[in-house]
Amino acid sequence: MNITSEEFFKRQTTLSEIGNEGQQLLQKAKVLVIGCGGLGSPIAIYLATSGVGTLHLVDFDTVSVSNLHRQVFFKTEDVKKSKAEILASEVKKRAPFTNVSFTDKAVTKNTVLDLISNFDVIVDGTDSLSIKYLINDACVLLKKPLIYGSLYKFDGYVATFNYQNEDGSFSCNLRDAFPKIATDIPNCEEAGTLNPIVGIIALLQVNEVLKLITKTGILLVNQLLIYNALENSQFKMKLRKNDSIHIEEIFKNSDYLETYCETQDASLLISASEFLKIETKNSTEVVSVLNHTDALIPFKVHQKIPYRTFNAEDFNPDYDKKYVVICKKGITSYDVTLKLKEKFPQLTIFSLVNGIDNY
Amino acid sequence: MNITSEEFFKRQTTLSEIGNEGQQLLQKAKVLVIGCGGLGSPIAIYLATSGVGTLHLVDFDTVSVSNLHRQVFFKTEDVKKSKAEILASEVKKRAPFTNVSFTDKAVTKNTVLDLISNFDVIVDGTDSLSIKYLINDACVLLKKPLIYGSLYKFDGYVATFNYQNEDGSFSCNLRDAFPKIATDIPNCEEAGTLNPIVGIIALLQVNEVLKLITKTGILLVNQLLIYNALENSQFKMKLRKNDSIHIEEIFKNSDYLETYCETQDASLLISASEFLKIETKNSTEVVSVLNHTDALIPFKVHQKIPYRTFNAEDFNPDYDKKYVVICKKGITSYDVTLKLKEKFPQLTIFSLVNGIDNY
Amino acid sequence: MEIQLLFFGITTDIVGVNKMKYTLKEGATVGNLKKLLIAKYSALKNINDFAIAINEEYVKDTTIITKNDIVAIIPPVSGG
Amino acid sequence: MEIQLLFFGITTDIVGVNKMKYTLKEGATVGNLKKLLIAKYSALKNINDFAIAINEEYVKDTTIITKNDIVAIIPPVSGG
């Protein structure tokens, strides 16, 4: 079939904000998408079908079954195949005016500068905090605009970082919001999410790229937009340049390797199977620290102390009991266990490993 | 490959707001998606990969080239094929736990009640004002919740209509915001749009469906959410029940046929080709009513009177001239032509048909 | 008194901006405002089919507008 | 004085809600508030790596909080 770009992009060029001029800017643009998962896959497809002329996709990973609920451009038959490769082939099937290529290797400190140097706009669709900083810092060093997106459960974050103003200065970047890579964030396991917020954040990133390239609308610069899918609430945090941050030095001195969860002290932990053996004993005292006191718990609970109001000072220890503290994921229960052990060192107390979720 | 639902939905069931219980509610749910275009296609795919158990897709139309920039689950090879059929096959390729079927016929007053009666939730992805009212009214009659979405250029609207409250009453519906089908909306031609806002509205609709079925979060009831993609601004209009509206009667008395553009008086119009013949003559006076006075115009303009500030009282007519009023689409220029002709009946004045866009 | 007007959908095109300051007589109703807007922008002649919100709340023609109110003009849209 | 706290990302899980009223001494700074929150919710111990916004504006630890301020606790997120 003979498909003309006039016909393909008719519904865009009819917009006075875009026109043929805007369409040509898109055609000439070179965009790099790093990460081809929940964010990266719609980003790549929507950018290509918008008419971005050159697109390069990067992801080291292969498709897994638990990706499919939110990475909707992969099909069941794609499981175990390269994400970047499959996504590039999906782009080809629907975007005849886009030149698409891919890299199926991880981005590292050694490769990042070379990788981004040939592109006009960098889009971050990765799911690793340290790689997000690596990309941010590299964009600052090479003066590239970065379209940032990320999420946790129902909260999605979006921003356009390091955009060059007319006076030559650059807008805020990730380190103006979060100066250092937070280590020790309590929950390192994948938190889970529903697919709409992932798609919404991806499309807000696409929207930034199109606005930036076609010089239309107002970019999300010097701010961080947060969208919450449970309440449809939008929050915009205004940012300010932090002059005490020297990214060139940081880049030189960092290795950008993953940081890991705090390791929990094994002597304060009880596994689900061990707990099963003692849970019905009279000497066992189960303490729930769930905030929702009416949550269904699959075993008997003797005390409910919502974490929100927990205070070690108020606790009356019974030294004849063996305490097991439980919560959903084993994070807040561990925290309570630590505090009680600190205050009452003679107490026999354990946190249920990985919480009710793993019971 | 053996794909289990546990593995497929792992990242959803891990959320305490969803869990296995929420996943089962999704599996049992029957959702009808009417319209399989820019809104309907991501809606169908994201709902299916979220685990909605039964999905029925409706669209009478076939894929055209100018759909492809925003209807991203269709590929170039799908042009001229049935949208509903292709979309159903795309669902099957990625959602092993969804039972999907389709209808490739238009929804009419005669078929709508039968169509929606078997479903728990109705999603409107259509692009016709009168069909949107038809679906709304049918949902009210059959007491079905309706997830509404629509858009114009960069503005997208979303709401959950006719949701049954615990006391048995129903939340607001489309007619509480817009009591009657607006006839005569100035611009009936397709206005054009960029693909991210289309996808964002679709995903906000998906988000409503998932919240509704799993009883999670806060629904967009008794309000209309408007998202503007150019400024990333969100506006929520609170609605109130309008007791003077009797939908049963309206349904009985309406035919829900498309309303058309106001017809412009041909004696006040000049076509692009006629205009070409006279545009360089001394007697021709070209008046631009574009609001952007620095917009590029592909021919000589003698006067610029931004439509925003136009007032027929301020106009000094020169009866020796032949006036041609121009704008982008021929809508505001026609309006100005009408007003000037009314005030100065002897004036020779024309509006350029379909505006600069068609020149 | 001064109020703020917001425009959505097709009304943004008709008026040419998506917001503006607007001066109105004390005690004016939504109905009065509609008439004034039609007089100024005749392409808004269908404004009676549009929704009007004051401070994000749907209002009727009889509602009285007060100083600094944010009045939104919300037409139906039909794209999909 | 009373202020409003908003929580985002992981902090919603730690605290169990996404907003709450909170009472604070007059003249308290963002730094003071952080310490109080860590004392109450020890899992917020990384709060120094989080962004704090008052009335939607990023602030430093030395900023003084005033009555009715809306203070948002914004942790980094890493999902993609």
Side-chain angles (χ1 to χ4, degrees):
Chain A
M1 179 170 335
N2 186 19
I3 292 180
T4 65
S5 65
E6 285 69 27
E7 188 63 16
F8 197 101
F9 301 116
K10 201 162 127 184
R11 301 295 180 228
Q12 295 184 174
T13 52
T14 188
L15 292 166
S16 58
E17 294 84 351
I18 305 297
N20 290 320
E21 212 176 313
Q23 200 62 53
Q24 276 166 35
L25 290 173
L26 289 168
Q27 186 65 51
K28 278 185 215 146
K30 295 177 182 174
V31 179
L32 175 66
V33 180
I34 310 181
C36 296
L39 295 175
S41 56
I43 289 170
I45 299 287
Y46 277 82
L47 283 178
T49 53
S50 291
V52 165
T54 303
L55 204 55
H56 187 70
L57 314 179
V58 182
D59 201 312
F60 68 92
D61 205 4
T62 56
V63 178
S64 68
V65 172
S66 67
N67 294 156
L68 298 172
H69 87 106
R70 68 191 184 286
Q71 303 185 15
V72 298
F73 289 93
F74 302 131
K75 303 180 284 291
T76 52
E77 68 182 40
D78 298 327
V79 170
K80 294 188 180 157
K81 295 181 188 161
S82 153
K83 289 187 182 183
E85 183 175 357
I86 295 290
L87 189 58
S89 82
E90 290 299 313
V91 164
K92 281 182 194 150
K93 289 175 190 163
R94 51 202 98 197
F97 306 101
T98 299
N99 191 344
V100 62
S101 55
F102 70 92
T103 302
D104 56 5
K105 291 193 177 51
V107 181
T108 66
K109 190 181 167 183
N110 289 330
T111 61
V112 69
L113 295 177
D114 267 358
L115 181 67
I116 72 176
S117 62
N118 294 320
F119 296 92
D120 306 319
V121 186
I122 316 300
V123 189
D124 174 7
T126 67
D127 63 355
S128 146
L129 203 56
S130 58
I131 299 301
K132 287 181 178 296
Y133 278 87
L134 175 64
I135 295 168
N136 178 75
D137 296 351
C139 284
V140 172
L141 293 184
L142 297 194
K143 301 181 176 178
K144 303 286 184 182
L146 168 62
I147 315 295
Y148 164 87
S150 193
L151 53 121
Y152 177 82
K153 291 189 178 174
F154 302 101
D155 278 336
Y157 292 18
V158 193
T160 290
F161 287 140
N162 202 49
Y163 178 75
Q164 187 158 25
N165 302 309
E166 294 205 351
D167 67 1
S169 66
F170 287 85
S171 72
C172 291
N173 66 69
L174 181 57
R175 289 193 187 269
D176 294 313
F178 306 109
K180 14 175 231 159
I181 308 183
T183 54
D184 226 28
I185 287 224
N187 186 3
C188 281
E189 68 173 73
E190 283 218 37
T193 193
L194 292 183
N195 65 23
I197 184 65
V198 187
I200 289 166
I201 296 306
L203 291 167
L204 288 172
Q205 290 181 274
V206 171
N207 193 45
E208 288 301 293
V209 177
L210 301 184
K211 287 190 293 182
L212 191 153
I213 295 172
T214 63
K215 300 174 172 62
T216 304
I218 300 172
L219 288 170
L220 292 170
V221 290
N222 298 320
Q223 60 187 301
L224 180 72
L225 181 154
I226 308 183
Y227 201 89
N228 177 279
L230 285 185
E231 304 196 350
N232 289 97
S233 55
Q234 179 169 280
F235 184 94
K236 289 175 178 173
M237 171 171 62
K238 288 191 203 76
L239 298 175
R240 209 177 303 174
K241 278 288 229 187
N242 181 338
D243 294 327
S244 70
I245 295 171
H246 303 291
I247 289 189
E248 205 153 335
E249 252 171 70
I250 294 173
F251 187 81
K252 208 180 294 167
N253 299 320
S254 305
D255 56 11
Y256 297 98
L257 298 179
E258 269 312 329
T259 51
Y260 293 98
C261 271
E262 169 182 43
T263 42
Q264 297 184 342
D265 179 349
S267 73
L268 293 177
L269 298 176
I270 187 166
S271 68
S273 57
E274 283 173 273
F275 175 52
L276 254 175
K277 289 181 208 153
I278 64 155
E279 69 170 281
T280 55
K281 285 194 187 166
N282 277 339
S283 60
T284 302
E285 181 83 2
V286 179
V287 181
S288 163
V289 295
L290 291 172
N291 281 322
H292 293 277
T293 53
D294 53 355
L296 277 179
I297 299 173
F299 43 75
K300 195 175 173 195
V301 166
H302 304 89
Q303 290 188 43
K304 291 182 178 182
I305 311 177
Y307 183 68
R308 206 181 315 165
T309 61
F310 168 78
N311 188 339
E313 305 292 332
D314 301 338
F315 190 78
N316 292 316
D318 175 347
Y319 290 97
D320 294 336
K321 297 279 191 184
K322 192 179 257 187
Y323 286 90
V324 178
V325 188
I326 64 110
C327 71
K328 202 165 150 47
K329 296 194 181 293
I331 297 164
T332 53
S333 63
Y334 181 73
D335 187 55
V336 166
T337 301
L338 258 185
K339 278 183 180 164
L340 289 176
K341 189 73 183 175
E342 202 176 87
K343 181 139 187 75
F344 311 105
Q346 302 310 317
L347 202 65
T348 309
I349 187 164
F350 304 98
S351 166
L352 178 64
V353 174
N354 296 332
I356 303 168
D357 277 3
N358 194 46
Y359 179 76
Chain B
M1 179 171 335
N2 185 21
I3 291 180
T4 65
S5 65
E6 285 70 27
E7 189 62 17
F8 197 101
F9 300 117
K10 202 162 124 181
R11 301 294 180 228
Q12 293 185 177
T13 53
T14 188
L15 291 165
S16 58
E17 293 83 352
I18 305 298
N20 289 319
E21 211 176 313
Q23 200 61 52
Q24 277 167 33
L25 290 172
L26 290 167
Q27 186 64 51
K28 279 184 216 146
K30 296 178 182 174
V31 179
L32 175 67
V33 180
I34 310 180
C36 297
L39 294 176
S41 55
I43 289 170
I45 299 286
Y46 276 82
L47 283 179
T49 53
S50 292
V52 166
T54 304
L55 205 54
H56 188 72
L57 313 178
V58 182
D59 201 311
F60 69 93
D61 205 5
T62 56
V63 179
S64 70
V65 172
S66 68
N67 293 157
L68 297 172
H69 87 106
R70 68 191 184 287
Q71 304 185 12
V72 298
F73 289 92
F74 303 132
K75 302 180 285 290
T76 51
E77 67 181 40
D78 298 326
V79 170
K80 293 188 182 158
K81 295 182 189 162
S82 153
K83 288 187 183 183
E85 184 176 358
I86 295 289
L87 191 57
S89 82
E90 290 299 314
V91 164
K92 281 182 195 149
K93 289 175 192 164
R94 51 201 99 198
F97 306 101
T98 300
N99 193 343
V100 62
S101 55
F102 70 91
T103 302
D104 56 5
K105 292 194 175 51
V107 181
T108 66
K109 190 181 167 182
N110 290 330
T111 60
V112 68
L113 295 178
D114 267 356
L115 181 67
I116 72 175
S117 62
N118 293 321
F119 295 92
D120 307 318
V121 185
I122 317 302
V123 189
D124 174 7
T126 67
D127 64 354
S128 145
L129 204 56
S130 58
I131 300 301
K132 285 181 180 297
Y133 279 87
L134 175 64
I135 295 168
N136 178 75
D137 295 352
C139 285
V140 172
L141 293 184
L142 296 194
K143 303 183 176 179
K144 303 286 185 182
L146 168 62
I147 315 295
Y148 164 88
S150 193
L151 51 123
Y152 177 82
K153 290 189 177 175
F154 302 101
D155 278 335
Y157 291 18
V158 193
T160 290
F161 287 141
N162 201 47
Y163 177 75
Q164 188 158 23
N165 302 310
E166 292 204 353
D167 68 1
S169 67
F170 287 85
S171 73
C172 291
N173 65 70
L174 182 59
R175 289 195 188 267
D176 295 312
F178 306 108
K180 19 176 228 158
I181 308 183
T183 53
D184 227 27
I185 288 224
N187 185 4
C188 283
E189 70 175 71
E190 284 217 37
T193 192
L194 293 183
N195 65 21
I197 185 65
V198 187
I200 288 166
I201 295 307
L203 291 168
L204 289 173
Q205 291 181 274
V206 171
N207 194 44
E208 288 301 293
V209 178
L210 301 185
K211 287 191 293 182
L212 190 153
I213 295 173
T214 64
K215 302 175 170 57
T216 304
I218 300 171
L219 288 170
L220 293 170
V221 291
N222 297 319
Q223 60 187 302
L224 180 72
L225 181 153
I226 308 183
Y227 201 89
N228 177 278
L230 284 183
E231 304 197 350
N232 290 98
S233 55
Q234 179 168 281
F235 185 93
K236 290 175 179 173
M237 171 170 62
K238 287 190 204 76
L239 299 175
R240 209 177 303 173
K241 277 291 228 187
N242 181 337
D243 294 327
S244 69
I245 295 171
H246 303 290
I247 290 189
E248 206 152 334
E249 252 171 70
I250 294 173
F251 188 80
K252 210 181 293 169
N253 299 321
S254 305
D255 57 11
Y256 297 98
L257 298 179
E258 270 311 329
T259 51
Y260 292 96
C261 270
E262 169 184 40
T263 41
Q264 298 184 340
D265 179 350
S267 74
L268 293 177
L269 298 176
I270 186 166
S271 68
S273 57
E274 284 174 272
F275 175 52
L276 254 175
K277 290 182 208 150
I278 65 155
E279 70 170 281
T280 53
K281 286 197 186 162
N282 277 339
S283 60
T284 301
E285 181 82 0
V286 180
V287 180
S288 162
V289 294
L290 291 172
N291 281 321
H292 292 277
T293 51
D294 53 355
L296 276 178
I297 299 173
F299 42 76
K300 196 175 169 191
V301 166
H302 304 89
Q303 290 187 45
K304 291 183 179 182
I305 311 177
Y307 183 68
R308 206 180 317 165
T309 59
F310 169 78
N311 188 340
E313 305 292 333
D314 302 337
F315 190 79
N316 292 316
D318 175 348
Y319 291 96
D320 295 336
K321 297 280 190 184
K322 189 180 260 189
Y323 285 90
V324 178
V325 188
I326 63 110
C327 69
K328 202 166 151 45
K329 297 196 181 291
I331 296 164
T332 53
S333 63
Y334 180 74
D335 186 58
V336 166
T337 302
L338 259 184
K339 280 181 179 164
L340 289 176
K341 189 72 181 176
E342 201 176 87
K343 179 138 191 74
F344 311 105
Q346 303 309 318
L347 203 64
T348 309
I349 186 164
F350 304 99
S351 167
L352 177 63
V353 173
N354 296 331
I356 303 168
D357 277 3
N358 194 47
Y359 178 76
Chain C
M1 63 183 182
E2 199 175 68
I3 61 168
Q4 168 98 17
L5 293 178
L6 302 181
F7 298 95
F8 293 92
I10 185 82
T11 68
T12 307
D13 288 353
I14 292 173
V15 177
V17 290
N18 62 8
K19 53 173 156 284
M20 64 162 79
K21 303 259 179 225
Y22 193 81
T23 305
L24 202 59
K25 263 197 321 205
E26 300 278 343
T29 64
V30 170
N32 299 148
L33 174 66
K34 282 183 175 177
K35 276 191 196 133
L36 290 166
L37 288 175
I38 295 174
K40 194 163 178 198
Y41 307 100
S42 61
L44 286 178
K45 60 182 171 299
N46 299 310
I47 198 167
N48 288 313
D49 294 338
F50 300 172
I52 311 290
I54 296 184
N55 305 329
E56 308 212 339
E57 229 162 300
Y58 185 91
V59 290
K60 293 182 187 166
D61 281 6
T62 50
T63 304
I64 291 168
I65 301 172
T66 56
K67 198 179 156 190
N68 296 326
D69 273 352
I70 298 173
V71 182
I73 316 296
I74 303 173
V77 294
S78 70
Chain D
M1 64 185 181
E2 200 176 66
I3 62 169
Q4 168 100 17
L5 293 178
L6 301 181
F7 298 95
F8 292 92
I10 185 82
T11 70
T12 307
D13 289 351
I14 291 173
V15 176
V17 292
N18 63 8
K19 54 174 154 285
M20 64 161 82
K21 303 256 179 228
Y22 192 83
T23 305
L24 202 59
K25 264 198 318 209
E26 300 278 343
T29 63
V30 170
N32 299 148
L33 174 66
K34 282 183 176 177
K35 275 191 198 134
L36 290 166
L37 288 174
I38 295 175
K40 196 165 177 197
Y41 307 99
S42 60
L44 286 177
K45 60 183 173 298
N46 300 308
I47 199 168
N48 287 311
D49 294 340
F50 300 172
I52 311 291
I54 295 184
N55 305 329
E56 308 212 341
E57 227 161 303
Y58 184 92
V59 290
K60 292 182 187 167
D61 281 6
T62 50
T63 305
I64 291 169
I65 301 171
T66 56
K67 199 180 153 187
N68 296 328
D69 274 353
I70 298 173
V71 182
I73 316 295
I74 303 173
V77 294
S78 71

